[in-house]
Amino acid sequence: MSKQQRKSTDRAILITCLLICLVTLPLFFEGIFSRVFSFGDGDSGSLIGSVLEPRNDIRIKSKNSLSWTNLKTKKTDLRLGNSVFSGAGSETTIKLENGLTINMKENSLIKFTKVGDLMVPEIGYGSFELSSQAGVQIMKDGKLYTVQNTSMGSIRLVADQNGFRAFDASNAEIDLANGLITSTAKMPVGSTPSPIKATDLIPADQTVDFEARLDDIYQTNDDGTYARKFGHDLERPLHFSWQTGAHAMKQRLEHADNSQMRDARGFETQSQNEILVDRLFLGTNYWRVMPDQASWSEVRRFEVVLKYFDSHLRLLSPQRSPLVARPPNRLSLIVSGAPNPEVAGILVEVERDNEGPESVRAFLFEPGQAIQVPLDSTGLYRLRAREVLKNRLLSSSTNELQFEVLSPRLPEPPEFLGPDRVPLSLSQLTRLEWSNAGTAKQFDVEIHNLTTGERQIKSVHTNNLAFQSDSAGTFNLRVRQRDGYGQRSGWSRMKEIEVMAPIKPPPLAQNIENDFSNRDKLPFPKPSPIFSNDTYDSDQIAAEVSGYAMTSSEQKLVARDVALGSILGLRIRKNFFKQQAGEANLRVQTVGFNDTAHSSLYSADLRYFYRLENNWFESWKWRPFISLGAGAEMFRSTNQQIFAPKYDLMKIGFRVNFPYRRSWTMGGDVFYGQAADSSTKIEISGNFGYFFDHRFSAGLGYRVYFFDAATAASTPMGLPYREAFGEGYSVFRYHF
C-alpha cells in the first residue's frame, strides 16, 4: 500500500468514527436508558424507610428518574426524594424511620422531600391513614401540619377536589386551621378505623335489554331522509343501586364504557344509595361507587342490548338487475307479506357496496305509498326494509336485495385538429382546437413538460385552449371530455409542441490583448455566491414538516398516553462577514394525533454561528465544516398538563456538516441550554440532504431533547419533572 493510499484510509476511518459518535450520541448522553428511564437506588437520597406489601398497582420513582417502576417485592427501600403512587384498587403500607406509619389507599400520590433538616412526607392527592408518635410533621401545598395524639386511633387524611381534610377515629372531621392533626375519639378495643365501602352493586353481571326505536339507530337529515348514528350512546334511563355498611353523607358514581374507567361520566348523591342514569352505552357498561371520598368499590359490568320485534315482510323489485341507466335514477320496490297492524311506515335502507355503514341512507314510506328509491350513481347497492310502528318501535330487517346500476356507453375521446407537432417560439401564444362530439360539458387538457417532468391538468368548457410557455422545451398535450353525467371519455392522441428559445447574435469581437487600461473591466467569469453543495450552511429559507412523540415524568399520573403530533417549522439563515452567520427558527404544532397532543405548542429560537477554519481534509470529498454556536430559545405550551408550560433559556453548542461531492450532505447539532431558574435542556439533531441545483435542496432529519425542570415556574405538576421529546422531519430549502 502506497503512502498516499494509507493516508486516504486513515482519513476515511477518522471521518467514519466521527459520524458514528454523532449518530449514537443520544444513546449515551447522561446514561439515558440506564438512568433517566429507570428507577434505581444509586441516584436517590438517604434511606428513610420501607414500602411494604404492595398490592396491585403500586409504583415508585426516584427524583432523577423520568418513568415509574412497578413494585413487586414485599419490601422496597424508600429514600429521600422518592415518590410513591397507587393505582385503582391498590394499597400499600409505608413505614418511616421517624416512627410514622402510612397506610396508602388507592389512587393516591405521596412524595418525600426535605424541609430544613427534616424529612417531611408531602401529600399529593388521595387517601391515607396515619399512626405515629406525637410531633411528626407532614406537608400539603407548602403548609406544614403536626400530627398529635394518634394513640387514640388512626387519623385519616383525604386530598381531593374538595380540598385537604382530616378525620379522627370516629370519622369526625378535624379542624386544620391551627396546623395540628389530633385524634380525640377512642376506637373500640380490637377495632381499627376503616372507610365506608359500597357493596351489592346492581346492575352487575347481567344483560339489560330495551325495545329498539327508530331514534336509537337513525338520525334525521335536512332533506327528510335518515342516516345511521355513529357511536354507542343509548338514551335510556336505568337505576343504579348499592349498599353501604354505614351511613354515607356524600357518594360519587362513575359510569364508563371501559374497565379502566377512562373518560367516565360522574354522578353524585347526598345520602341515597341510588342514582338514575339517563344515558347508557350499547354493549358493555362499567361502573363503580365511592362513599364519602373513602375508596372506590370494585368495578362492576353489565350488557345493554336492543331488541327488535319480528318482521314477516319480504322486499322485491319488478325491475331486473343490472339496471342500465344514466344516474340519478329511481328503483321501484314491492313489499310483500302481512305487516304489523300498528305499522306507521316502511323504512328502506340503501347501502353502497364496499363503502361501509357511512354510506347507508334510509327512506321512510307511508303504508300503501309507492316505494321508489333514488340511486345517485352507478355501482352495486344493497337494500333492506324495516317496519316502523306508531310508537316508533323498530322491527328486524327483511331479506337483503342486491341491485347493480350500470352506465350507458362512455363518450368518445376527442381528437386534436391540425398537425400533431407544432414548433413555437418562446412566449408565443397559439390556440389549440379539438373535435367536439356535441354532448360534452367540460374538457380536461393534460400538459406534460418533457424537460422538467411536470404535469398539470386544465379544465375548460370550450373545445380550444390558448397555449403559451415562458421556458423552452418539449410539451405533450392530450384531451378528454366529460358528459352531463360526469362520465369521462378516454384520452385523445398526443399532440407534441416544441418551444424554442430565440437565437442570440454572437458578441462583437474586441481586441483586448494589449488593452491594459481596462484590465479591471475585462469580462472574466465571477464565482457564484452560491456553492451548490460547498456547505450546508449557505444563505437559505427552509420549511420543515415533522411528526413527534413526547413523554414526561408525570405522564402516568395524569393518565395520558404518549403525545403524538405534527409540527411545522420555518428556518431562515443569513451569513455575514467571512465566517459568521445568524439563524432564526419558528416552530408551531399544526396537528395533534391524539388527545394528549391537543395543545397550543410553539417555540422561537435565535442562534449565532462562528465557523472554524478547517484545512485538514481540504482535498477530500468528505470535508467537515465545524461551527460554534450560541443562542436563546422561548418555548410555550398551553391546554394540556403533560408538557412543561413555558421556559426561556440561553444555549451553547456546535454544528458539524459533511458535504459529499456536489449533491449530498449530512451532519448535526448538539446544544446545551439553561434557564434563569437553572432548568436545563439538552438538544441533539442530525440530518442528511440532497441538492437538486444551487438553489434548491431537500432532506430528512431527526431531533431529540431532554428537559429537566428546576422550579415550579417550568413544571405543570411539581418536582422532580423531566420531559423527553423526539421527532423525525422532512425539510425543503431555498438557497439564495
Side-chain angles (χ1 to χ4, degrees):
M1 182 182 293
S2 65
K3 182 178 180 180
Q4 181 64 29
Q5 289 176 330
R6 286 197 301 271
K7 186 177 180 181
S8 300
T9 302
D10 292 343
R11 289 176 176 175
I13 294 174
L14 179 58
I15 292 174
T16 303
C17 291
L18 289 173
L19 284 174
I20 293 174
C21 291
L22 183 64
V23 172
T24 60
L25 188 58
L27 304 180
F28 300 98
F29 210 99
E30 288 193 352
I32 292 168
F33 292 97
S34 63
R35 181 180 179 191
V36 177
F37 288 103
S38 64
F39 169 77
D41 295 335
D43 57 356
S44 300
S46 58
L47 184 65
I48 59 173
S50 303
V51 181
L52 305 175
E53 301 293 340
R55 185 170 70 88
N56 295 337
D57 184 15
I58 302 297
R59 310 174 207 166
I60 191 170
K61 180 176 67 123
S62 67
K63 64 180 179 180
N64 292 324
S65 177
L66 181 64
S67 61
W68 293 84
T69 300
N70 290 320
L71 296 185
K72 302 297 183 182
T73 59
K74 293 185 177 180
K75 180 179 179 180
T76 302
D77 289 341
L78 184 68
R79 297 180 179 272
L80 187 64
N82 286 172
S83 301
V84 182
F85 168 77
S86 62
S90 307
E91 60 180 327
T92 188
T93 300
I94 301 173
K95 286 192 175 182
L96 303 178
E97 292 184 349
N98 63 0
L100 178 63
T101 299
I102 304 174
N103 291 323
M104 187 175 182
K105 304 303 180 180
E106 65 175 352
N107 298 321
S108 302
L109 172 69
I110 188 171
K111 302 179 183 180
F112 297 89
T113 60
K114 189 174 183 181
V115 178
D117 296 330
L118 298 176
M119 184 284 301
V120 177
E122 181 181 357
I123 302 296
Y125 53 82
S127 179
F128 307 86
E129 287 183 0
L130 308 182
S131 59
S132 71
Q133 300 174 357
V136 175
Q137 291 184 316
I138 65 169
M139 186 167 65
K140 173 61 178 171
D141 297 331
K143 182 177 179 179
L144 288 174
Y145 298 88
T146 302
V147 180
Q148 293 186 343
N149 197 23
T150 61
S151 60
M152 304 297 293
S154 297
I155 292 175
R156 183 162 58 94
L157 303 180
V158 177
D160 55 17
Q161 66 270 21
N162 296 320
F164 181 54
R165 296 166 294 156
F167 301 87
D168 62 16
S170 65
N171 208 27
E173 188 167 353
I174 301 172
D175 185 10
L176 301 178
N178 56 4
L180 300 178
I181 303 177
T182 304
S183 177
T184 57
K186 193 171 184 178
M187 293 293 295
V189 177
S191 64
T192 58
S194 59
I196 300 174
K197 290 187 175 295
T199 59
D200 300 331
L201 278 68
I202 298 175
D205 300 325
Q206 65 187 78
T207 299
V208 180
D209 54 28
F210 297 94
E211 292 183 318
R213 297 191 306 224
L214 178 64
D215 299 336
D216 296 334
I217 309 298
Y218 290 96
Q219 60 186 10
T220 307
N221 297 326
D222 295 337
D223 57 359
T225 61
Y226 293 84
R228 276 281 183 90
K229 281 186 177 180
F230 293 97
H232 55 297
D233 286 355
L234 181 66
E235 295 184 1
R236 288 289 199 282
L238 184 66
H239 282 90
F240 289 63
S241 63
W242 60 94
Q243 299 295 326
T244 54
H247 181 70
M249 294 302 297
K250 186 176 183 180
Q251 306 190 70
R252 178 173 175 80
L253 180 147
E254 285 189 347
H255 176 220
D257 60 353
N258 59 88
S259 58
Q260 292 78 27
M261 305 304 291
R262 293 191 302 267
D263 301 323
R265 301 166 180 168
F267 304 87
E268 288 188 356
T269 180
Q270 295 300 319
S271 58
Q272 295 181 350
N273 292 353
E274 184 182 48
I275 290 181
L276 179 64
V277 176
D278 59 357
R279 188 170 53 163
L280 306 173
F281 299 105
L282 275 175
T284 307
N285 291 247
Y286 299 86
W287 68 291
R288 61 183 181 179
V289 178
M290 181 172 64
D292 283 347
Q293 305 295 332
S295 62
W296 287 107
S297 67
E298 181 182 357
V299 176
R300 305 310 300 266
R301 55 176 287 179
F302 63 93
E303 301 289 331
V304 173
V305 298
L306 290 177
K307 183 175 62 176
Y308 301 87
F309 72 87
D310 294 334
S311 175
H312 302 286
L313 301 182
R314 184 171 179 80
L315 191 63
L316 304 172
S317 175
Q319 297 173 272
R320 291 186 176 183
S321 178
L323 175 65
V324 180
R326 293 186 185 273
N329 208 325
R330 288 186 173 271
L331 176 66
S332 297
L333 299 174
I334 299 175
V335 176
S336 65
N340 191 293
E342 298 295 324
V343 68
I346 303 296
L347 187 76
V348 179
E349 301 173 338
V350 181
E351 179 182 352
R352 281 288 302 272
D353 190 35
N354 299 326
E355 291 189 7
E358 295 85 355
S359 68
V360 174
R361 294 176 63 198
F363 305 87
L364 186 60
F365 299 91
E366 296 180 358
Q369 180 183 357
I371 301 178
Q372 289 189 330
V373 178
L375 305 179
D376 297 332
S377 59
T378 59
L380 181 64
Y381 290 86
R382 303 178 187 275
L383 300 100
R384 299 171 294 271
R386 296 178 186 266
E387 296 177 70
V388 182
L389 302 187
K390 295 177 181 179
N391 55 4
R392 309 290 282 181
L393 293 183
L394 205 59
S395 75
S396 58
S397 297
T398 64
N399 62 301
E400 183 176 271
L401 185 66
Q402 295 189 7
F403 215 91
E404 187 175 10
V405 178
L406 300 179
S407 171
R409 192 175 57 145
L410 294 176
E412 295 292 335
E415 291 294 334
F416 275 103
L417 304 178
D420 292 337
R421 189 173 184 274
V422 180
L424 295 176
S425 298
L426 195 64
S427 299
Q428 179 181 344
L429 179 65
T430 186
R431 186 166 295 277
L432 305 176
E433 296 184 358
W434 53 84
S435 60
N436 184 0
T439 60
K441 300 296 183 181
Q442 185 176 338
F443 297 92
D444 298 330
V445 183
E446 181 187 67
I447 303 174
H448 181 198
N449 189 333
L450 300 181
T451 305
T452 64
E454 179 185 2
R455 292 178 184 267
Q456 60 175 322
I457 295 180
K458 295 184 177 181
S459 296
V460 295
H461 296 279
T462 58
N463 63 330
N464 59 79
L465 173 71
F467 178 82
Q468 184 179 14
S469 176
D470 295 331
S471 60
T474 303
F475 297 81
N476 277 349
L477 288 84
R478 59 180 183 173
V479 64
R480 67 184 178 190
Q481 64 174 328
R482 299 186 191 184
D483 61 16
Y485 303 97
Q487 300 180 108
R488 301 184 180 93
S489 70
W491 289 103
S492 69
R493 290 182 302 175
M494 287 288 185
K495 188 179 191 68
E496 182 178 304
I497 294 179
E498 184 177 358
V499 178
M500 298 171 292
I503 301 176
K504 296 182 179 179
L508 298 176
Q510 296 182 6
N511 184 12
I512 59 174
E513 182 176 355
N514 298 320
D515 188 359
F516 295 99
S517 60
N518 294 324
R519 185 168 185 174
D520 294 337
K521 302 179 181 179
L522 294 180
F524 294 131
K526 296 182 179 180
S528 171
I530 305 300
F531 308 138
S532 176
N533 191 23
D534 198 20
T535 171
Y536 166 81
D537 291 328
S538 58
D539 295 345
Q540 60 184 272
I541 299 176
E544 297 179 2
V545 178
S546 70
Y548 75 85
M550 180 270 176
T551 184
S552 80
S553 58
E554 305 294 339
Q555 176 182 324
K556 291 185 178 180
L557 290 184
V558 294
R560 299 191 187 283
D561 299 326
V562 173
L564 302 174
S566 177
I567 291 178
L568 179 64
L570 177 67
R571 178 162 62 94
I572 302 176
R573 180 186 175 90
K574 178 63 178 176
N575 294 279
F576 49 89
F577 299 112
K578 183 180 180 181
Q579 299 166 258
Q580 304 176 58
E583 191 171 285
N585 297 275
L586 178 63
R587 292 158 48 77
V588 181
Q589 174 175 293
T590 55
V591 178
F593 296 140
N594 58 7
D595 292 338
T596 306
H598 288 172
S599 309
S600 297
L601 180 69
Y602 61 92
S603 66
D605 191 331
L606 296 176
R607 301 186 186 184
Y608 164 82
F609 287 96
Y610 181 83
R611 195 174 70 187
L612 303 178
E613 289 286 356
N614 181 10
N615 297 319
W616 304 335
F617 307 97
E618 187 171 2
S619 62
W620 268 74
K621 299 174 183 177
W622 287 56
R623 179 187 177 189
F625 291 86
I626 303 174
S627 301
L628 302 180
E633 179 183 358
M634 178 190 71
F635 178 91
R636 296 292 185 270
S637 172
T638 59
N639 298 342
Q640 287 290 356
Q641 296 299 317
I642 186 173
F643 300 102
K646 65 177 181 178
Y647 53 80
D648 303 308
L649 49 82
M650 305 296 293
K651 57 173 65 176
I652 59 173
F654 65 90
R655 171 176 292 174
V656 181
N657 290 300
F658 297 87
Y660 179 70
R661 295 184 182 275
R662 305 285 290 183
S663 298
W664 296 92
T665 185
M666 67 177 62
D669 301 353
V670 176
F671 273 83
Y672 173 84
Q674 184 165 341
D677 64 351
S678 298
S679 297
T680 60
K681 180 178 181 179
I682 299 164
E683 181 178 338
I684 305 166
S685 64
N687 66 82
F688 75 93
Y690 176 78
F691 283 72
F692 301 102
D693 54 29
H694 71 287
R695 291 291 183 189
F696 300 99
S697 67
L700 301 174
Y702 73 89
R703 184 182 292 106
V704 296
Y705 75 69
F706 304 95
F707 176 75
D708 198 337
T711 67
S714 299
T715 178
M717 289 192 64
L719 301 171
Y721 177 84
R722 281 197 166 185
E723 198 170 272
F725 178 98
E727 69 172 311
Y729 65 86
S730 60
V731 58
F732 182 80
R733 310 181 192 93
Y734 171 73
H735 303 265
F736 59 91

